Amino acid sequence: MIQLLRNVLLLSALFSLGACAASAPASPAADTARRAPAQLPPEDLSRFRPTFPAPKPAPAVAPAPVRPVPPTNHVNAQIDQRLRDQAFTNQNVKYAQGYRILAYVGLEKDKAMAVRRAVISRYPEETDYLTYKQPIFRLQIGDYLTRLEAAQALLRIRPLAPRAELEPMQVNINKSGY
């Protein structure tokens, strides 16, 4: 019995010490960051590095004075003749690959003519092409060499012809505009 009493007292003393240790002020948290291993003093590697002699200073030579060359605005005769030949050849070109706006496609001539009149009254400088291939009427507007020009015109015409779209095709070249 004395043995049992001694064990109970010893056990209660251990619990009280454990409780005191748990309520003690917290010790600083252990640092879990990795640290570099202790730095050894740097090894002297200078004996392995190559050495070069210092470059000799270049003698100071004054640059020769540059004489300005006046520009000439004439072309030699052979190039001038080739440019004239190309210009003459280009005068005979009447068509080029470009774009037109397809403003109307349908079976009703009255609707095609109404769209045509609306476009011409609003934009008289635009060229229109109304074709009939039985049973379909097609109204095409303009001759545009670039897609950018055609897209800009399409935005202007879209309120008058909501279903208008761009169509790549061979177009007439307007010589007066160039």
Side-chain angles (χ1 to χ4, degrees):
M1 175 93 160
I2 295 182
Q3 186 70 10
L4 184 60
L5 186 59
R6 195 182 309 163
N7 287 341
V8 170
L9 285 175
L10 185 59
L11 192 57
S12 64
L14 285 176
F15 281 137
S16 62
L17 282 177
C20 289
S23 64
S27 63
D31 188 12
T32 59
R34 291 190 177 216
R35 294 178 189 239
Q39 294 290 333
L40 298 174
E43 187 176 348
D44 184 21
L45 300 175
S46 60
R47 61 186 169 142
F48 298 109
R49 292 186 185 128
T51 55
F52 299 100
K56 297 177 183 173
V61 177
V66 177
R67 199 173 50 168
V69 178
T72 57
N73 295 330
H74 58 81
V75 179
N76 67 26
Q78 188 178 12
I79 291 177
D80 195 28
Q81 179 61 40
R82 288 192 182 183
L83 288 174
R84 276 195 302 270
D85 292 346
Q86 186 65 44
F88 180 75
T89 303
N90 288 344
Q91 286 177 348
N92 297 328
V93 175
K94 293 182 177 29
Y95 305 102
Q97 198 61 29
Y99 297 89
R100 285 191 182 149
I101 298 171
L102 184 60
Y104 178 80
V105 176
L107 303 174
E108 299 179 28
K109 182 178 181 180
D110 295 336
K111 282 188 179 179
M113 293 304 285
V115 171
R116 179 176 181 256
R117 279 192 297 275
V119 170
I120 290 175
S121 66
R122 187 105 179 248
Y123 304 106
E125 71 279 358
E126 295 292 348
T127 310
D128 63 293
Y129 302 93
L130 182 63
T131 57
Y132 175 70
K133 190 170 185 181
Q134 191 171 356
I136 297 174
F137 288 93
R138 295 170 60 89
L139 176 63
Q140 297 169 332
I141 307 292
D143 290 314
Y144 307 104
L145 294 177
T146 65
R147 188 173 181 93
L148 180 63
E149 288 175 322
Q152 289 171 346
L154 178 64
L155 290 175
R156 288 193 321 255
I157 291 174
R158 190 60 59 80
L160 304 173
R163 291 188 174 187
E165 56 187 45
L166 290 182
E167 190 174 54
M169 64 174 17
Q170 191 173 12
V171 297
N172 298 330
I173 296 178
N174 182 4
K175 297 288 184 173
S176 64
Y178 298 104

